[in-house]
Amino acid sequence: MTSAGGKILVTGGAGYIGSHTSIALLAAGYEVVIADNFSNSERWIPERIRTLAGRDLRCVELDLRDREATVLAVREIRPAGVIHFGALKSVGESIAEPLLYYSNNVIGTLNLLEAMRA
């Protein structure tokens, strides 16, 4: 535990909002673990966060639609808190690909909540 309150899991942490949130959490003294599937972000982002924050963070490649992997990751990370940004967000794409958005945003969130409860 850090003096700020512990380890925070940020899903979608390599995305725009998730990366900025991670920087703020690191600046506040939290230990940050990013979980991202990199479907809508770049793999160099965690390194950029480290550079900007001047602190290290852990990055786990994780697709929240994989229930077993999500449960195992949360069990291993043991976060004090979770901030969930791991979702798709394009209106046009959501209309063209509604099942992809349902799977990613709804099933992924349910898997994360189950993992947190477990």
Side-chain angles (χ1 to χ4, degrees):
M1 282 280 231
T2 66
S3 61
K7 187 185 303 182
I8 306 296
L9 172 62
V10 181
T11 66
Y16 182 80
I17 296 171
S19 62
H20 284 76
T21 300
S22 296
I23 291 168
L25 289 167
L26 288 165
Y30 288 92
E31 180 181 350
V32 175
V33 179
I34 288 175
D36 206 299
N37 68 4
F38 297 100
S39 68
N40 208 12
S41 58
E42 302 293 334
R43 295 184 185 281
W44 54 264
I45 299 290
E47 188 57 40
R48 181 72 174 146
I49 294 169
R50 290 179 187 101
T51 299
L52 291 171
R55 290 195 48 215
D56 198 15
L57 69 113
R58 183 171 165 210
C59 181
V60 175
E61 186 164 353
L62 176 67
D63 189 327
L64 297 175
R65 293 174 292 184
D66 183 337
R67 183 184 176 282
E68 184 177 327
T70 301
V71 169
L72 289 172
V74 171
R75 183 176 296 146
E76 191 272 324
I77 294 166
R78 301 183 54 85
V82 176
I83 301 175
H84 178 43
F85 296 122
L88 298 172
K89 66 199 179 314
S90 170
V91 174
E93 186 180 56
S94 72
I95 292 168
E97 299 283 345
L99 295 179
L100 170 65
Y101 273 66
Y102 177 83
S103 172
N104 191 82
N105 296 357
V106 177
I107 301 301
T109 298
L110 289 173
N111 287 343
L112 177 62
L113 291 171
E114 287 182 21
M116 291 164 57
R117 181 176 61 187

